Amino acid sequence: MTKSYLVIGAGAVGLQIAQDLKENGHEVWLVEESTMPGGKFNSQKPLEPGINLAYFSGTYHPGDYLFTSKAVSLMASKRVKVLYGSKISVIKEEEGKFYTEIIAPKENYTKVFDGVYFTPGFIPFNPEEKAEYLYGINNFVLTGLELENLLKTGELKKNPPEKVAFIQCVGSRNNGIGPGKPYCSGFCCLYSLKEIDLLKKVLPDTIVKVFYLDLRLYNKGAEKLYQKAVENNVSFIRNMISAIKEEPKSYKPIIRYLNNGRFKDELFDLVVLAQGAELSPNIKTLLARLNITENELLEFYGTPENPHQIRPGIYFAGSFLNPMDGADSMVSAGAAAFPQINLKESVQSTMEIKYFTNTGIIFCNCRGSLPVDELKGTVADLPSITISDCLNEDELGKVRSFLLDNQIGKAVFAGCSKIKIMPGLEKLAYEESIGARFEVVNLKEQGYSLYGKEKFKAIAQKLLAGALARLKFSTTPALKVKNDITFDVVIIGGGLAGLKAAEALTEKGVSVTVVEKQDSFGGKHKNKVIPLEGINLKEFIEKIVLKLENRGALLLKNAEIVEVSGAPGNYQLIIERFGKRLNINAAAVILATGTQNSYGHYRKTSQIIFQEDLFSSADLLSQCDSIGFLQCAGSRNDLNPICSRNCCVSSLDAAIYVKEKFPEKDVFIFHQDIMAYGKYEYKYLKARELGIKFVVYNRGQYPEIKSIGGKIQVVTNENYLDDVVLDLLVLAEGAVPNKENEKLAELFRVGLDEFGFLRESHQDISGGYFPKWGVFVAGEAQGPKTVREILSSAQNTAKNVLTYLNQLQNSQLKVNYSEVIEEKCAACLTCVRVCPYSVPVVINGKNVAYIDPISCQGCGICASECPNKAIVQNNRPHQGVLAEIRVLAGEGK
Amino acid sequence: MIVAERKPIEEIIKMVEKHESILVLGCGGCVTVCLAGGEKEAEQLATTLRLYFQKENKPFKTITTTITRQCDPEYVKSVAEEVAKVDAVLSTACGVGVQFMAENYPGKWVYPALNTKFAGANLELGVWGERCGLCGECILHLTGGVCPVIRCSKSLLNGPCGGSQNGKCEVSSEIDCAWQLIYDRLKSLNSLDLILKIQPPKDWSKARDGGPRKVVKEEVRL
Amino acid sequence: MAAKVLIYQCSYCSYLTFDLLSQYKVSLQDNIFLTDLPCTGTISVNMLLEAVENGFEKVLVLGGTGNDCRFLKGSQRAQKRVEEAVKILREIGYDKASIAFYGLKPGDVDSLKNILNTI
Ligand SMILES: Cc1cc2nc3c(=O)[nH]c(=O)nc-3n(C[C@H](O)[C@H](O)[C@H](O)COP(=O)(O)OP(=O)(O)OC[C@H]3O[C@@H](n4cnc5c(N)ncnc54)[C@H](O)[C@@H]3O)c2cc1C
Ligand code: SF4
Ligand code: SF4
Ligand code: SF4
Ligand code: SF4
Ligand code: SF4
């Protein structure tokens, strides 16, 4: 049943949710306060600077359009109403419905919704509130974003600072005292390291010192930035900075900090403040109307099982839910949208594909910023139109009628980057069955911006002529018909992520098979009885398994996948179980193989155990008077370079559990940086309140552990503490990529990242997608995660799978694939051998190769290797490429 | 299949430099399959030559085409028009194709672009191994399916010789001793008695020692 | 006139890096032409040679790094083909032009800048 939803905030998350809901047939109103979409990732916003270099999955990306412009065009539809510069003035909940009044620039609306999504992100903390940092008073004190702007404009190079200090946690982790918030803002440690990286690239000799409490670099990409900073001689100083002073003559800032037990005053040329996250005041008012108090807001909302649903009809997602980076935000968006996504009734689309033969040009002047008019008619005498904005509903409509009116089957789009525009153009093919092929000439990012005003026209003409020459040889897209799809999904790995994804999918009526290698379900969490993030995982897992059995899911223990064949939508898997082979068909496969434990260089004794032992037997706790937790025992070392992300939360939960039950016991946590990021900080605060003692050891300098007289002695490097004597020491094992990943990557033809985790597509940042169709990842197989994050990730993947199953049912157009010219094929098997996805086959007896267009990824590897040139990559036939070369090389246009 | 590989480019240049226009003729048979002379290689070779003569500032034109096989008269004749347009033909077929083209186009130079190597099999992508010496009288039934004529460096029929060590031939440690392979095969076939039988001298007149050979299949001839 | 340069981008990785370039205040001269392929694995030896034949004195193929390729093996294939084309140029003594492959991570603007500086 289709419903109507209100989404508040058109940042990356709001856009993604609107797109998902729309695709499922719901009506969506997207209300955005500012005049543009994109939130923090929009770098073109007039008032607040945005992030245009977003760091995620280990590199920088153009945040603005990867996260947002793409979504804008995918969202464009009559079912979506986007209101910019708008505000909700009234919201009331009555019997599960939401009555709203919306004030928009042109018109005011009253409207009733079935549900509300809050995706307003956060606003940066204003450092002026912390007067002691002199922000706004002293010109040498900046915020991170201001620094990034100086770097971008080249200002900083003109007047290079010799010494720069970064102060972390400004407005965050205030412990309830003074301005700011008690939680950790989660991304500012990463963000500061990113600024340092950018700074060092421009000014490699600058001395950089970072003053921090904990360096919360919990995601796998962040560790790389840290290593780079260390190589670049950045100093990291664990010190709370309470004030900045001014040098009376130069007004340069002075920072006082503890150095070997003594105070030291140091002069800097610049101080950069890492601002934290705040809630915007107007959102607080809206929430109050829905009886959600500010106090509730500060803690986690929802339940850990369903973190995004606050109560029926109200959902929170993105950095508003919990401060997080872009990639995590997108996972959160998908998980929040999940409840509204259903499997469509199987209807074979009857829409006829419209194939045309004319060629045309679509110009875009990019809101007036590109002088495309001077190109019109100068390259070719072809029909053309000019649009002026990203493919929102209006612009898409213009393109649609242009194609239909002029019977255009091949078109060059001359405007911005293809990464931005292609999804919108392809939408015409997928959703409206217009069988056109598009070529993009990037006149903006790779044209005007790179060559400048003077050279623009000549270069643009060449590129345009080149694309037209190339296009002559491309074919129109092929029809993709699906009639034999099954709706079975196979999940490899029956741990928390796999089970949760299975639960989510079976709830929507998808039939699911779970393949588990071990002889029980639940993976590494299956025996955990001490609550972790509020969940007794043992019971939780047992409940899901029971539910799955009742829903008729096929649960295979002791089973292993050994072979994969077939095409997306119709994979054939062979599963081996007790020596027998089982054939299973699947429309989609989810890889949820989790991680393995890494025990570092430690060995277990009766008194030195690992977290997994402790969590599975609560009795251990009653038998000892003093207990210690040693963090990072299996992480951030030579065997496992990255943070395992969940062990600090686990130790905090266990420590709090002990202390609440047995207040008389002594509890210690030995740590490097306690990774209580985001709202996990509340656990840390609670632990301190309960009297749990935190002992810091330097990175890599693990305390010495001795066994003396039936006790464990921990020799610390903190000079104010005597050596600690314990009855029980719990080591935090780490999470390393599952060894199975290599096998799975090979079987399913997906990639691994540098650490050995399954590598997602870096352009589909909505999380959990592989470049290959029909194969998905959930949970820790992609990277370490906490329980909450695993559950979110599983829900998000379930959403991705549902969306994909729905897409399979429509007939769609395949644009990018290779085809065999049978008459030329010598059946030499070269294509069969070189294809990275094993798509081509030479059927015995037929003596020619066949490439299934749906499975083909369109890389063109086979086309270039075929010794008889019997394969054509339809999007880039060799003749087309050669024609383009000639045009580009030639004089004139 | 016939396995071939492209000649060094200098050698090819020397052959064609006296001409101003050539037809680079690919073959869709064995040499396509062994990635030496199909359409792709023919085009690549043509471009390479054009580039060379461009550098040398000499006029040089190419036509490139590929026929199904250069060892059948019908296919060979189908390029008469192209052949007429050029000074010479550079064939990327095996030696058979080159000769057959030459036979069919008297008065035209036909040059070999490839070195024809052997009759062999594709061991893996990009690797081929010699398997048959075309001796005219096959004895594989006596040797368990391993050919001593071509795979034994000395073509011993009653091997191995004293140079067989750890399964390798004394000629090179890269070469498997054929007689070791024969022994292993026969053992796995439970037929080691065969290896003890002395093979009489082979009738080499059936091989190419008896002069060029011809095969006639009477029943298809009218 | 400055030597003509042709740069093949991979639509999935180096394309993105080129998109970022102008934000780093990099600009290109008009002797440099950019075009893209779905994957650098689409490149063939002949395409590279023909580009040289048609007057490009530098042909660069910018693909992904070893384990970063969107198509798993595409950039490795491209690299091999570039090596072959380079070998052919060497064999015929053609030293007026050069062909090169570079692997870089998507978004790695610094490496890209270094590559462009060598032009
Ligand atoms: C300085 C800084 C640097 C960062 N760097 C990175 C990075 O390098 N890589 C990375 O992955 N992440 C980074 N992040 C994190 C990233 O910004 C967030 O993860 C991401 O923006 C979250 O998206 P969102 O949609 O939840 O929120 P936002 O992007 O904040 O979008 C929220 C939208 O809601 C609108 N809105 C707010 N209130 C209302 C209202 N009442 N009514 C209507 N609309 C409203 C806002 O105008 C905005 O458009 C950084 C964050 C900061 C602050
Ligand atoms: S991420 Fe957390 S610890 Fe790091 S600066 Fe931000 S608030 Fe502080
Ligand atoms: S204990 Fe685990 S979560 Fe904490 S810092 Fe170490 S690796 Fe990260
Ligand atoms: S590589 Fe070409 S000739 Fe060989 S089997 Fe494939 S399509 Fe046929
Ligand atoms: S284009 Fe790529 S994916 Fe498609 S068949 Fe050829 S090699 Fe395989
Ligand atoms: S015995 Fe003669 S025909 Fe048989 S494989 Fe050896 S060389 Fe060929």
Side-chain angles (χ1 to χ4, degrees):
Chain A
M1 202 177 72
T2 62
K3 293 186 172 173
S4 63
Y5 291 92
L6 170 64
V7 179
I8 305 175
V13 173
L15 290 167
Q16 175 71 37
I17 290 176
Q19 182 194 322
D20 281 332
L21 297 180
K22 173 222 100 180
E23 244 166 58
N24 220 251
H26 298 295
E27 183 191 8
V28 186
W29 284 41
L30 184 52
V31 176
E32 166 62 47
E33 208 173 35
S34 78
T35 53
M36 289 173 119
K40 305 267 176 315
F41 282 118
N42 193 337
S43 51
Q44 294 166 357
K45 278 201 171 168
L47 290 178
E48 26 167 329
I51 309 157
N52 53 4
L53 290 182
Y55 183 87
F56 64 92
S57 71
T59 36
Y60 295 101
H61 292 71
D64 52 353
Y65 62 80
L66 263 195
F67 282 98
T68 59
S69 321
K70 196 162 119 178
V72 172
S73 48
L74 287 175
M75 216 177 53
S77 155
K78 295 197 179 70
R79 290 196 298 273
V80 184
K81 192 173 196 72
V82 191
L83 297 169
Y84 294 117
S86 304
K87 242 176 46 194
I88 319 267
S89 54
V90 176
I91 187 161
K92 263 187 311 197
E93 185 181 6
E94 264 168 44
E95 292 170 6
K97 299 258 182 223
F98 299 87
Y99 294 84
T100 59
E101 286 173 23
I102 302 164
I103 306 177
K106 285 191 200 137
E107 204 180 327
N108 295 344
Y109 304 86
T110 54
K111 167 97 183 153
V112 185
F113 295 97
D114 296 302
V116 185
Y117 278 85
F118 282 89
T119 57
F122 51 78
I123 51 171
F125 172 77
N126 178 2
E128 280 177 20
E129 284 184 44
K130 277 180 85 83
E132 63 271 31
Y133 287 158
L134 305 182
Y135 179 80
I137 301 169
N138 184 307
N139 285 342
F140 302 109
V141 181
L142 307 174
T143 64
L145 275 174
E146 285 167 343
L147 174 72
E148 193 174 327
N149 257 341
L150 289 182
L151 284 167
K152 219 164 55 186
T153 54
E155 282 298 306
L156 206 64
K157 231 179 161 172
K158 286 191 204 143
N159 207 347
E162 274 168 36
K163 276 172 85 177
V164 181
F166 281 78
I167 300 181
Q168 296 305 108
C169 304
V170 176
S172 315
R173 303 186 68 186
N174 73 352
N175 212 346
I177 312 155
K181 288 288 171 282
Y183 52 71
C184 154
S185 296
F187 51 75
C188 14
C189 282
L190 171 78
Y191 173 62
S192 288
L193 277 182
K194 167 183 125 178
E195 294 310 335
I196 292 168
D197 189 40
L198 294 173
L199 173 71
K200 280 282 188 178
K201 279 177 186 166
V202 183
L203 304 167
D205 300 327
T206 311
I207 297 167
V208 177
K209 298 196 173 177
V210 182
F211 298 96
Y212 71 100
L213 302 174
D214 292 281
L215 270 187
R216 294 197 165 153
L217 302 171
Y218 47 91
N219 78 31
K220 49 182 183 174
E223 185 61 28
K224 270 176 42 187
L225 279 183
Y226 176 78
Q227 297 301 351
K228 224 163 142 191
V230 172
E231 278 165 30
N232 280 330
N233 296 320
V234 174
S235 337
F236 291 92
I237 301 162
R238 190 190 292 269
N239 227 288
M240 168 96 165
I241 304 302
S242 48
I244 296 177
K245 298 221 158 48
E246 256 175 15
E247 206 273 333
K249 276 193 212 131
S250 64
Y251 298 112
K252 292 254 166 97
I254 298 173
I255 291 180
R256 165 167 293 191
Y257 64 97
L258 261 180
N259 185 24
N260 290 328
R262 280 211 211 122
F263 279 113
K264 181 176 172 185
D265 284 329
E266 194 169 340
L267 189 75
F268 288 92
D269 299 313
L270 268 188
V271 174
V272 183
L273 305 178
Q275 313 156 265
E278 278 244 67
L279 295 176
S280 81
N282 60 10
I283 279 292
K284 284 188 216 164
T285 339
L286 288 185
L287 290 167
R289 299 231 172 91
L290 296 170
N291 297 323
I292 298 169
T293 64
E294 175 158 5
N295 259 354
E296 274 178 277
L297 271 180
L298 290 178
E299 304 264 354
F300 274 116
Y301 340 98
T303 55
E305 293 95 317
N306 203 351
H308 300 89
Q309 182 177 313
I310 307 317
R311 55 175 193 259
I314 304 181
Y315 304 88
F316 291 179
S319 57
F320 173 66
L321 178 73
N322 188 20
M324 51 178 124
D325 73 359
D328 287 346
S329 293
M330 299 311 272
V331 171
S332 144
F338 168 77
Q340 267 54 263
I341 312 296
N342 296 308
L343 201 58
K344 277 187 206 155
E345 304 264 317
S346 188
V347 275
Q348 201 48 252
S349 166
T350 49
M351 223 193 283
E352 233 178 86
I353 310 277
K354 300 175 215 50
Y355 290 112
F356 301 123
T357 48
N358 294 343
T359 303
I361 307 175
I362 305 157
F363 289 103
C364 179
N365 66 22
C366 198
R367 302 184 202 101
S369 67
L370 274 179
V372 291
D373 285 340
E374 52 183 81
L375 301 174
K376 277 203 146 171
T378 64
V379 177
D381 190 16
L382 290 170
S384 73
I385 51 157
T386 305
I387 60 169
S388 54
D389 207 337
C390 298
L391 290 175
N392 53 35
E393 185 55 31
D394 287 346
E395 303 302 316
L396 202 64
K398 286 187 209 157
V399 173
R400 183 191 302 117
S401 22
F402 170 66
L403 297 175
L404 296 178
D405 296 349
N406 295 289
Q407 310 232 318
I408 285 172
K410 289 180 182 180
V412 171
F413 174 88
C416 63
S417 168
K418 70 196 274 180
I419 301 175
K420 266 202 226 177
I421 207 74
M422 245 347 198
L425 291 173
E426 283 176 359
K427 200 173 119 107
L428 291 169
Y430 290 145
E431 289 178 14
E432 310 189 22
S433 300
I434 299 180
R437 178 174 295 282
F438 300 98
E439 284 289 345
V440 173
V441 178
N442 186 343
L443 294 182
K444 191 178 156 76
E445 288 83 357
Q446 300 188 14
Y448 199 78
S449 314
L450 272 186
Y451 293 94
K453 204 168 153 188
E454 279 80 51
K455 295 178 216 138
F456 173 74
K457 188 173 174 189
I459 280 280
Q461 285 174 332
K462 271 257 167 77
L463 295 177
L464 200 54
L468 285 167
R470 188 168 73 200
L471 200 56
K472 271 194 199 120
F473 296 91
S474 322
T475 59
T476 39
L479 177 62
K480 158 182 184 293
V481 218
K482 269 280 157 195
N483 29 31
D484 53 352
I485 39 168
T486 58
F487 281 98
D488 295 344
V489 174
V490 171
I491 299 176
I492 317 269
L496 191 57
L499 292 174
K500 180 70 186 178
E503 184 196 39
L505 286 170
T506 48
E507 182 191 322
K508 305 284 180 172
V510 176
S511 68
V512 166
T513 304
V514 183
V515 180
E516 168 59 49
K517 199 174 169 187
Q518 291 176 3
D519 66 357
S520 58
F521 289 103
K524 58 157 81 162
H525 293 305
K526 61 175 169 269
N527 295 321
K528 295 190 175 169
V529 289
I530 296 180
L532 186 48
E533 303 206 40
I535 312 177
N536 178 324
L537 284 163
K538 185 167 190 280
E539 285 173 12
F540 185 73
I541 284 163
E542 284 165 358
K543 259 197 241 154
I544 297 188
V545 171
L546 200 69
K547 221 190 237 171
L548 289 176
E549 279 167 357
N550 289 338
R551 289 179 185 166
L554 182 56
L555 302 178
L556 300 173
K557 289 186 275 200
N558 299 306
E560 224 181 308
I561 170 136
V562 289
E563 259 179 68
V564 182
S565 56
N570 201 355
Y571 286 113
Q572 285 98 48
L573 313 182
I574 297 185
I575 306 223
E576 208 169 69
R577 203 160 168 253
F578 304 120
K580 288 211 187 78
R581 286 158 85 87
L582 212 77
N583 286 297
I584 298 186
N585 287 353
V589 180
I590 301 178
L591 308 181
T593 40
T595 49
Q596 283 176 327
N597 286 338
S598 162
Y599 302 103
H601 299 286
Y602 293 93
R603 277 244 216 91
K604 207 163 116 173
T605 69
S606 61
Q607 283 178 302
I608 302 177
I609 61 169
F610 285 96
Q611 279 185 353
E612 55 181 349
D613 309 308
L614 178 77
F615 272 90
S616 46
S617 97
D619 307 344
L620 282 171
L621 291 171
S622 50
Q623 296 153 14
C624 52
D625 293 327
S626 55
I627 168 167
F629 293 86
L630 177 65
Q631 296 310 105
C632 303
S635 312
R636 307 171 86 187
N637 56 25
D638 51 332
L639 301 175
N640 175 19
I642 57 175
C643 167
S644 301
R645 201 159 162 164
N646 55 45
C647 10
C648 280
V649 176
S650 298
S651 288
L652 287 170
D653 269 346
I656 292 169
Y657 177 83
V658 183
K659 206 60 183 174
E660 280 184 339
K661 259 193 149 162
F662 313 101
E664 71 287 356
K665 293 192 176 176
D666 283 330
V667 183
F668 294 86
I669 296 184
F670 305 91
H671 66 94
Q672 309 181 356
D673 302 282
I674 194 91
M675 290 296 172
Y677 54 92
K679 291 179 178 173
Y680 288 126
E681 178 77 4
Y682 289 105
K683 291 187 191 290
Y684 179 55
L685 290 175
K686 185 165 178 192
R688 296 198 86 117
E689 218 168 83
L690 288 170
I692 292 163
K693 297 188 188 72
F694 286 84
V695 185
V696 179
Y697 64 91
N698 290 337
R699 230 179 129 102
Q701 296 170 7
Y702 292 92
E704 201 183 326
I705 302 166
K706 295 180 188 159
S707 265
I708 297 174
K711 298 265 182 192
I712 304 288
Q713 196 183 13
V714 181
V715 185
T716 71
N717 57 6
E718 291 262 308
N719 43 21
Y720 57 89
L721 262 185
D722 288 334
D723 294 345
V724 182
V725 177
L726 304 166
D727 295 319
L728 187 68
L729 180 66
V730 184
L731 307 177
E733 64 269 26
V736 287
N738 199 323
K739 286 203 192 71
E740 288 288 294
N741 287 356
E742 274 168 40
K743 192 182 108 188
L744 289 176
E746 183 60 36
L747 275 175
F748 288 97
R749 309 288 170 140
V750 295
L752 295 178
D753 69 11
E754 59 198 291
F755 305 108
F757 294 104
L758 295 172
R759 179 165 53 83
E760 298 164 86
S761 159
H762 54 72
Q763 276 190 21
D764 301 317
I765 21 110
S766 39
Y769 278 105
F770 288 116
K772 183 152 180 195
W773 260 50
V775 186
F776 301 83
V777 62
E780 286 201 290
Q782 180 269 342
K785 288 180 180 56
T786 65
V787 166
R788 234 172 208 274
E789 290 161 351
I790 292 174
L791 297 174
S792 264
S793 148
Q795 265 192 337
N796 173 54
T797 300
K799 182 231 55 177
N800 292 344
V801 170
L802 287 170
T803 309
Y804 160 80
L805 291 177
N806 287 337
Q807 277 171 3
L808 274 186
Q809 296 189 62
N810 296 337
S811 55
Q812 291 187 352
L813 290 167
K814 181 88 183 180
V815 183
N816 200 11
Y817 64 100
S818 292
E819 203 173 13
V820 178
I821 308 164
E822 295 196 351
E823 303 80 66
K824 289 181 86 178
C825 173
C828 74
L829 295 168
T830 303
C831 53
V832 176
R833 292 170 181 150
V834 298
C835 173
Y837 299 98
S838 297
V839 179
V841 282
V842 175
I843 302 159
N844 244 338
K846 225 189 147 206
N847 291 334
V848 285
Y850 170 72
I851 293 174
D852 172 35
I854 295 149
S855 307
C856 172
Q857 302 280 303
C859 64
I861 289 177
C862 58
S864 293
E865 214 71 72
C866 171
N868 218 24
K869 301 194 72 176
I871 303 179
V872 180
Q873 208 282 7
N874 278 330
N875 187 22
R876 282 291 186 287
H878 288 195
Q879 282 171 299
V881 175
L882 296 181
E884 186 191 19
I885 289 176
R886 286 180 197 130
V887 170
L888 293 183
E891 303 298 319
K893 39 179 185 174
Chain B
M1 132 188 91
I2 304 266
V3 178
E5 88 188 327
R6 206 200 66 212
K7 280 178 177 291
I9 199 79
E10 312 92 84
E11 199 185 331
I12 301 176
I13 289 171
K14 287 222 175 70
M15 294 176 200
V16 299
E17 64 190 351
K18 46 189 167 295
H19 305 292
E20 287 193 356
S21 64
I22 62 162
L23 168 67
V24 183
L25 186 64
C27 171
C30 297
V31 291
T32 288
V33 179
C34 72
L35 314 184
E39 182 171 320
K40 175 188 159 208
E41 294 294 324
E43 283 184 359
Q44 193 174 305
L45 181 58
T47 314
T48 306
L49 291 172
R50 288 198 309 272
L51 260 181
Y52 171 78
F53 289 107
Q54 190 191 71
K55 182 197 79 169
E56 298 293 301
N57 267 326
K58 281 192 194 164
F60 189 78
K61 282 211 171 81
T62 61
I63 301 178
T64 310
T65 192
T66 300
I67 54 178
T68 307
R69 270 192 306 279
Q70 289 185 30
C71 49
D72 275 303
E74 291 88 340
Y75 296 130
V76 164
K77 288 198 175 110
S78 72
V79 286
E81 222 173 275
E82 286 90 340
V83 173
K85 285 190 200 146
V86 294
D87 300 343
V89 178
L90 179 62
S91 160
T92 64
C94 69
V96 180
V98 177
Q99 294 183 52
F100 212 54
M101 278 296 293
E103 273 170 62
N104 277 283
Y105 294 100
K108 264 296 164 197
W109 263 110
V110 180
Y111 299 108
L114 307 184
N115 285 327
T116 307
K117 293 292 212 183
F118 49 74
N122 199 173
L123 306 182
E124 58 183 83
L125 181 61
V127 185
W128 293 266
E130 184 163 18
R131 283 295 181 272
C132 173
L134 314 174
C135 74
E137 195 173 44
C138 192
I139 54 165
L140 286 172
H141 55 297
L142 302 173
T143 57
V146 178
C147 171
V149 175
I150 204 67
R151 298 181 72 185
C152 166
S153 305
K154 301 168 185 169
S155 297
L156 293 182
L157 296 187
N158 295 290
C161 69
S164 171
Q165 256 185 12
N166 303 324
K168 296 291 173 194
C169 172
E170 69 175 342
V171 169
S172 153
S173 58
E174 305 266 289
I175 304 174
D176 288 326
C177 167
W179 280 99
Q180 177 76 45
L181 298 175
I182 293 170
Y183 173 83
D184 293 342
R185 267 292 283 176
L186 290 177
K187 193 171 170 198
S188 73
L189 295 168
N190 251 335
S191 310
L192 273 180
D193 52 312
L194 278 174
I195 211 169
L196 294 174
K197 277 204 193 128
I198 306 289
Q199 292 303 321
K202 196 167 160 61
D203 176 3
W204 290 107
S205 71
K206 297 208 166 96
R208 64 153 314 283
D209 295 28
R213 296 165 282 176
K214 210 179 232 173
V215 173
V216 179
K217 196 166 165 74
E218 265 312 329
E219 73 271 30
V220 298
R221 293 170 60 83
L222 282 180
Chain C
M1 216 186 89
K4 283 208 182 90
V5 182
L6 179 62
I7 298 182
Y8 278 109
Q9 312 162 324
C10 155
S11 311
Y12 288 88
C13 47
S14 43
Y15 189 93
L16 203 142
T17 319
F18 269 97
D19 273 5
L20 276 171
L21 213 51
S22 62
Q23 299 190 12
Y24 284 76
K25 308 271 163 253
V26 175
S27 59
L28 293 185
Q29 292 307 310
D30 53 7
N31 59 323
I32 299 176
F33 294 91
L34 306 177
T35 183
D36 58 280
L37 297 168
C39 164
T40 48
T42 303
I43 204 91
S44 73
V45 178
N46 198 37
M47 281 178 200
L48 296 166
L49 297 178
E50 288 223 22
V52 172
E53 189 189 10
N54 280 286
F56 286 102
E57 290 178 32
K58 226 174 182 138
V59 184
L60 304 185
V61 180
L62 304 189
T65 55
N67 65 357
D68 236 24
C69 177
R70 152 67 166 84
F71 296 100
L72 308 169
K73 297 274 160 45
S75 30
Q76 292 174 35
R77 291 266 170 219
Q79 186 166 4
K80 285 272 197 157
R81 292 173 189 154
V82 167
E83 283 166 14
E84 176 64 19
V86 168
K87 197 173 130 218
I88 289 176
L89 288 190
R90 202 178 333 111
E91 280 171 357
I92 61 169
Y94 198 101
D95 48 16
K96 273 194 298 180
S98 65
I99 305 175
F101 175 89
Y102 295 97
L104 52 154
K105 283 189 173 296
D108 185 357
V109 177
D110 295 304
S111 304
L112 181 56
K113 275 196 328 202
N114 290 338
I115 294 166
L116 292 174
N117 282 337
T118 66
I119 293 179

